[in-house]
Amino acid sequence: MNISDIIIPVISLGGLGLIFGGGLALASQKFAVEVDPLIEEVENALPGVNCGACGYPGCSSFAKAVVAGEVEVDGCPVGGQSTAEAVASIMGIEAKVGEKQVAKVICNADNKQAKEDFDYQGIKDCKAASAFNGGSKSCNFGCLGLGTCVRVCPVDAIEITENMIAKIKPDICISCEKCVAACPKNVIDMVPESQEVVITCKNEEKGKIVRQKCDFGCIGCQICVKSCPFQAIDFDNNLAVIDYDKCTNCHVCVEKCPTKAIEGDINKRKKAEIVQSKCIQCTICKKACPVDAIEGDVKKEHMIDPEKCIGCSVCAEKCPKDAIDMK
Amino acid sequence: MLDISASSLFVILVSAILVNNFVLSRFLGICPFLGVSKQVETAFGMGMAVTFVMSLASIITFIVQKYILDLFGIQYMQTIMFILVIASLVQLVEMIIQKTSPTLYQSLGVFLPLITTNCAVLGLTILNIQERYNIIETIFHAIGAAVGFSLAIVLFAAIRERMEVANVPNAFKGFPLALITAGLMSLAFLGFSGLV
C-alpha cells in the first residue's frame, strides 16, 4: 500500500479546511456584530423561563429592552425582588421594587360550604361550566374548581382539592398571571407574598343572600372595618377590601369575622418581645401600640402583655433602638 | 476552449428551474421548504441565501473536484470535501446576513445554519459532477437550481399565507394542508416534464 494514498487525502482535506477556516476567521472580524455585553449579563441574571409575563417574547428580548432603557429593571414579575436587584446592579442603578406578588384564589368555599344549584356533568373546564348558568355553584362569584387555572399554570403551582376548590402554592407561584387571565370567574387576584390576611370572598350580593348560598361568604357586616386598628379595611360593593399597604397582618379581623371569610392563621401571629439590654425605656413603643399592650414609664422597665399583643409590629418599627423583636 | 452553445445553456437553466425543480421534482431541500415558508418575505430571504450558497458552492466544488479530487485520484473524498465547502460558505452567509439584516437573521432562525445540511446544495454540487458539466454549465445549472428553489418556496409561502386566513377543517389546519399543497404543487410541476 502506498503511503501517499493516506498522505494526499489528509493534506488536501486538512489544507482545504485550513484555508476555509482562515477565510472565516477574517470574515468574522470584518462582519463582526457588536453586541452589547450588558445584554448577555442581564439575560444571565433573568430566570430564563421565557414565559412572556413581562410582555416581551422571551428573556433575551426583555434583556435587550432593559439595556435599551425601554423598560424598568423590575419588569420581570417572575424573578421578583432578587432578580430586579441583580439586573439593577448590572445596569448600575438602584432597584426600586415592590414585593413579589403571588396569585391567590379569592374564594375558600368548596362544595361543602357553598351550596350547589345543580349537578354539573359537562366538560371538566371552568369556562365551559361557567357558560352554563354561571356554573353549578349557587354563588356566582366563587371558584368552580374544575381546573382551568391548573392547566395554564406553567409551574404546576395550582392544585384542586378533593372538594373542588383551587389552591395556589405561593412558594411555587412565579407571578406570571396566566391563571388570573384564564379564570372565567375572575376569582384569582395578585396578592403580596407576605400578606397573610386575605379576604377570601368575591360575592357582591347582599348579606342575606350570601348567607343562604355559602358558609364562608362576606355578608357585609363591616365588623372587620370597625375592628381594624389601622383603618386598613374599606367597604365597597357589599365586600370588605383590605388595603395591603396599610395592613400589618395583625389578624384582628380574622378573629372578628363571623363567617370566616377572612383567611389567616391566627397561630402564625407574631408576638412582640422587648430586648431589655437594648431598650432605653423611652415609651415611644407604648404610645405607638394600638391595643395598649405595652406597659412602662420613662426610665422604668417596659413590658409587653402577650395576651393583648396583636403582632402588628408597629412598635418594632417605631423603636429607635431596634429593641423589639417580632417572634 | 469550451464548446458551449447558448441553446444548451438555456436548456440547462429551464430544466433546472422548471422540469427538474430541486424541491418539487427531485425532492431535495424539503426541510427549509416547509420550515421557512410561512411568509413570502422570509421565504424570499431564504431563497436568496440558498442562491448565494448554491452559486458559490458549485464554482468552488467544481474547482475542488477538478484540481484536488481528480488530480490526486481521490474521488471517494467528494462528499466530505463538498460538505466542508458548503459548511464554510453557510457560515460566511450567516455572518453577512447577521451584519446586514438582523431582522432577516432572526426570522430565518435555525434554518440558516441548516442550509449546511440542506441536501439541495450538496445534491446540486454532486449532480454537477455526475452530469460532467463544464464550469459555465455548472454556473448556469446552479443558478437554475437556486432560482427553481426560490420560485418553489416563494410560491409555496404565498399559498400558505392565503391558507392562513382560509376556512379549513380543523384536522387539516397547519402542516397537513401544507403537505397536501406541496404535493399538488409537485404534481403541477410534473406538467413541465415534456418541455425539454
Side-chain angles (χ1 to χ4, degrees), chain A residues 5 8-10 12-13 16-17 20 23-24 27-28 30-34 64, chain B residues 60 64 68 72 74 76-77 80-81 84-85 88 91-92 95-96 98-99 106:
Chain A
D5 285 352
I8 289 175
V10 167
S12 49
L13 187 64
L16 209 60
F20 283 130
L24 281 180
S28 73
K30 196 164 156 47
F31 292 109
V33 178
E34 280 172 35
K64 263 182 213 162
Chain B
I60 296 176
V64 168
I68 297 177
F72 298 115
I74 46 170
Y76 63 89
M77 299 278 287
I80 191 164
M81 285 281 207
L84 178 68
V85 171
S88 314
Q91 284 296 311
L92 185 68
M95 279 180 221
I96 294 172
Q98 195 178 9
K99 179 80 175 176
Q106 268 197 344

Side-chain angles (χ1 to χ4, degrees), chain A residues 11-266:
Chain A
I11 289 180
S12 49
L13 187 64
L16 209 60
L18 215 60
I19 294 167
F20 283 130
L24 281 180
L26 281 178
S28 73
Q29 280 182 348
K30 196 164 156 47
F31 292 109
V33 178
E34 280 172 35
V35 182
D36 195 331
L38 274 180
I39 294 176
E40 201 176 325
E41 270 185 64
V42 171
E43 198 183 338
N44 288 339
L46 294 172
V49 195
N50 289 321
C51 66
C54 55
Y56 290 88
C59 290
S60 72
S61 25
F62 174 75
K64 263 182 213 162
V66 168
V67 174
E70 289 166 17
V71 65
E72 295 290 328
V73 288
D74 61 343
C76 176
V78 177
Q81 190 159 3
S82 56
T83 302
E85 275 164 9
V87 174
S89 72
I90 295 166
M91 296 294 292
I93 45 176
E94 281 282 311
K96 45 171 204 308
V97 280
E99 208 197 331
K100 184 188 171 194
Q101 304 269 317
V102 292
K104 171 110 191 116
V105 180
I106 308 298
C107 177
N108 258 343
D110 56 33
N111 58 8
K112 295 276 186 296
Q113 281 92 24
K115 315 275 175 303
E116 300 271 319
D117 272 350
F118 54 87
D119 191 15
Y120 177 73
Q121 299 270 352
I123 312 166
K124 295 275 175 244
D125 181 85
C126 303
K127 282 181 179 160
S130 67
F132 186 68
N133 205 14
S136 59
K137 252 187 192 154
S138 58
C139 170
N140 245 333
F141 301 85
C143 172
L144 294 175
L146 293 170
T148 298
C149 49
V150 176
R151 288 186 282 277
V152 296
C153 182
V155 289
D156 292 334
I158 311 179
E159 63 176 19
I160 303 288
T161 66
E162 55 186 271
N163 289 329
M164 306 276 282
I165 192 108
K167 292 273 178 211
I168 303 177
K169 296 170 195 142
D171 47 333
I172 304 178
C173 176
I174 58 167
S175 330
C176 69
E177 301 192 21
K178 282 187 175 154
C179 52
V180 178
C183 179
K185 289 288 177 185
N186 289 325
V187 76
I188 305 178
D189 276 355
M190 300 306 286
V191 174
E193 193 178 19
S194 67
Q195 183 70 28
E196 281 171 17
V197 178
V198 180
I199 295 174
T200 48
C201 181
K202 284 246 174 184
N203 196 318
E204 295 168 358
E205 290 166 301
K206 294 266 187 240
K208 194 183 170 205
I209 302 168
V210 176
R211 205 185 263 284
Q212 284 165 359
K213 289 180 174 176
C214 178
D215 295 344
F216 278 178
C218 173
I219 52 171
C221 64
Q222 304 201 34
I223 289 176
C224 53
V225 179
K226 287 171 208 141
S227 67
C228 179
F230 307 97
Q231 285 85 45
I233 306 183
D234 267 342
F235 198 72
D236 191 25
N237 262 341
N238 293 320
L239 267 182
V241 182
I242 296 181
D243 182 340
Y244 297 133
D245 290 334
K246 288 184 188 164
C247 178
T248 60
N249 290 318
C250 72
H251 290 72
V252 168
C253 52
V254 179
E255 280 178 314
K256 300 275 183 185
C257 182
T259 56
K260 304 278 172 255
I262 306 181
E263 187 183 290
D265 188 353
I266 196 90

